[in-house]
Amino acid sequence: MVKPSKILEKIKKRTEPIVEEPIVEEDEVIEEESDEEIVEEEEQEEEGSEEETKEDTDKNIDDNNNKKDQSIYTKKRVLFTSTRGIGSKYRHLMTDLISLIPHSKKEDKIDDRKTLSLINETCEMKSCNYAVLFDVRKGTDCFLWMAKTPLGPTVKFHITNVHTLDELQMTGNCLKGSRPFLHFDKSFDGEVHLQLIKELITQIYSTPKGHVKSKPFFDHVFSFFYQDGRIWFRNYQISDQEFKKESLLTEIGPRMIMHIDKIFSDGFGGSVLYSNPNYVSPNNTRSDHKLSKANKYIKRKYQKGQAEERQKIAFIEPSEVDTVFDN
């Protein structure tokens, strides 16, 4: 039997209100800690997002600058022109170079040689950055001007030993509009004026990437060699041998030799930065040749006069004995 006292105790326990003590649950503590952590994480995320936005803006600025730079190079143009009186050989040479340089633009001939500075204005009108002028004098002497317009510098060459594509008829060939490699001799890194000429040639002859008229191929090489105080220009095709992995160079043309005359500070003018002391103008060479011929003539006349004098001295008058028996 269960005692009534125990039953009463059970009833009291059931009827008495249960007072619950405030218990701090672990979830609430975790929530408070998590709130603090979330605030810290949000602050870190905000700092990281600010840094990312700064990095993104810097990247966008760099990308925009690179795009601008690339757009400048893709819009690069070279103006080709000549003076009145150009011969057929130099005209064919100019057309060959224009066909090899896809970012080139041809302009009409110039009437007056005294106003070469007007080429800067024509370049500005035609949106060209560089200019190449074939200045032919007396029908035989060709001077090649390469200039970065309008601020300069400008290099003046005297061209000799010119051979065009039609004249050579080499076996090499390249795709029209393809981009060339530029090869320079080690001597271009030695002297200051050669470094300047190398930089100007690379800016003029190198086809920009992504140009409208260019093709994404490298199948020929523009070679520049410095020897005997002159720059030798050659154009080679990069062709693969049939049963070998080695590449073979076959010449395409044209050929020419450029003799450095002067370097000017501005576009087609300005102060003289460099003057070649070993350069001899074609007029001086012709005058020396004529003087040599004249000296030969003078020498021949002198020798003839000396021979006549010797003959007079060697002449013997007839004696009287020879004329005794004539009567």
Side-chain angles (χ1 to χ4, degrees):
M1 293 291 292
V2 180
K3 293 181 179 181
S5 60
K6 291 183 179 180
I7 294 169
L8 289 171
E9 288 176 0
K10 288 181 180 181
I11 292 168
K12 286 180 181 180
K13 287 180 181 180
R14 289 178 182 177
T15 55
E16 288 179 355
I18 299 169
V19 179
E20 295 180 355
E21 295 181 356
I23 299 171
V24 179
E25 296 180 355
E26 294 179 356
D27 296 333
E28 293 179 356
V29 175
I30 293 168
E31 286 178 358
E32 290 178 357
E33 293 177 354
S34 62
D35 292 334
E36 293 177 355
E37 292 177 355
I38 289 166
V39 171
E40 291 178 356
E41 289 177 356
E42 288 178 353
E43 291 177 354
Q44 292 177 357
E45 287 178 356
E46 288 177 356
E47 292 176 356
S49 62
E50 289 178 356
E51 292 178 355
E52 288 177 356
T53 51
K54 288 180 181 178
E55 291 177 356
D56 293 332
T57 53
D58 294 332
K59 287 180 181 179
N60 292 324
I61 291 167
D62 293 333
D63 293 334
N64 292 324
N65 292 326
N66 291 326
K67 287 179 180 178
K68 287 180 181 178
D69 295 336
Q70 290 177 1
S71 65
I72 289 167
Y73 287 114
T74 53
K75 292 179 181 178
K76 180 176 70 173
R77 289 182 182 178
V78 182
L79 184 75
F80 277 83
T81 184
S82 64
T83 57
R84 295 285 179 186
I86 186 171
S88 61
K89 181 182 285 187
Y90 300 115
R91 188 174 65 252
H92 286 300
L93 175 65
M94 186 174 69
T95 54
D96 292 341
L97 291 177
I98 289 170
S99 63
L100 290 172
I101 300 173
H103 58 282
S104 61
K105 193 169 185 179
K106 191 176 179 181
E107 183 59 22
D108 296 333
K109 295 178 182 178
I110 297 171
D111 296 324
D112 192 5
R113 293 188 181 89
K114 296 179 181 179
T115 58
L116 294 179
S117 59
L118 295 175
I119 299 174
N120 297 323
E121 297 179 1
T122 57
C123 288
E124 187 177 359
M125 292 171 63
K126 301 291 183 180
S127 66
C128 294
N129 312 100
Y130 304 90
V132 177
L133 172 66
F134 286 83
D135 185 10
V136 180
R137 301 174 184 176
K138 298 182 179 180
T140 55
D141 304 331
C142 182
F143 295 93
L144 182 65
W145 298 68
M146 294 183 187
K148 180 177 174 60
T149 57
L151 300 176
T154 304
V155 185
K156 182 183 176 183
F157 300 98
H158 177 226
I159 297 177
T160 56
N161 297 337
V162 174
H163 300 283
T164 59
L165 286 170
D166 296 332
E167 184 181 354
L168 291 172
Q169 292 183 356
M170 294 289 185
T171 56
N173 194 6
C174 64
L175 185 67
K176 188 174 182 179
S178 60
R179 301 175 65 196
F181 287 109
L182 295 179
H183 171 71
F184 290 92
D185 197 2
K186 291 182 180 180
S187 57
F188 280 93
D189 298 329
E191 299 181 7
V192 179
H193 68 281
L194 292 177
Q195 293 177 3
L196 190 145
I197 291 169
K198 177 182 176 182
E199 183 64 27
L200 185 62
I201 289 173
T202 52
Q203 291 181 11
I204 289 174
Y205 285 91
S206 61
T207 303
K209 183 179 179 181
H211 195 269
V212 177
K213 295 182 180 179
S214 66
K215 294 179 178 61
F217 302 105
F218 292 94
D219 59 352
H220 63 286
V221 183
F222 288 156
S223 300
F224 298 91
F225 304 99
Y226 185 75
Q227 191 175 5
D228 297 333
R230 293 172 175 82
I231 298 173
W232 302 62
F233 172 76
R234 296 290 185 271
N235 183 20
Y236 298 100
Q237 177 195 359
I238 304 171
S239 58
D240 297 330
Q241 295 182 0
E242 293 183 355
F243 299 101
K244 295 181 181 179
K245 295 182 180 179
E246 298 178 356
S247 59
L248 181 68
L249 295 178
T250 56
E251 188 173 357
I252 304 170
R255 293 179 180 178
M256 62 179 174
I257 297 174
M258 299 181 288
H259 197 181
I260 304 167
D261 184 7
K262 290 180 182 179
I263 299 175
F264 300 95
S265 59
D266 298 334
F268 294 97
S271 61
V272 178
L273 299 178
Y274 174 77
S275 180
N276 190 1
N278 299 321
Y279 173 73
V280 180
S281 65
N283 291 327
N284 292 332
T285 55
R286 279 193 294 269
S287 64
D288 293 337
H289 186 63
K290 289 179 180 179
L291 284 173
S292 64
K293 285 185 176 180
N295 291 328
K296 285 181 181 178
Y297 176 74
I298 292 167
K299 187 177 180 180
R300 189 167 64 249
K301 293 292 287 183
Y302 177 74
Q303 289 176 355
K304 189 175 181 181
Q306 291 290 326
E308 290 177 353
E309 288 180 359
R310 284 195 299 272
Q311 288 177 1
K312 288 179 181 179
I313 294 169
F315 179 74
I316 300 173
E317 294 181 357
S319 63
E320 295 177 356
V321 177
D322 294 333
T323 60
V324 168
F325 299 101
D326 291 339
N327 296 323

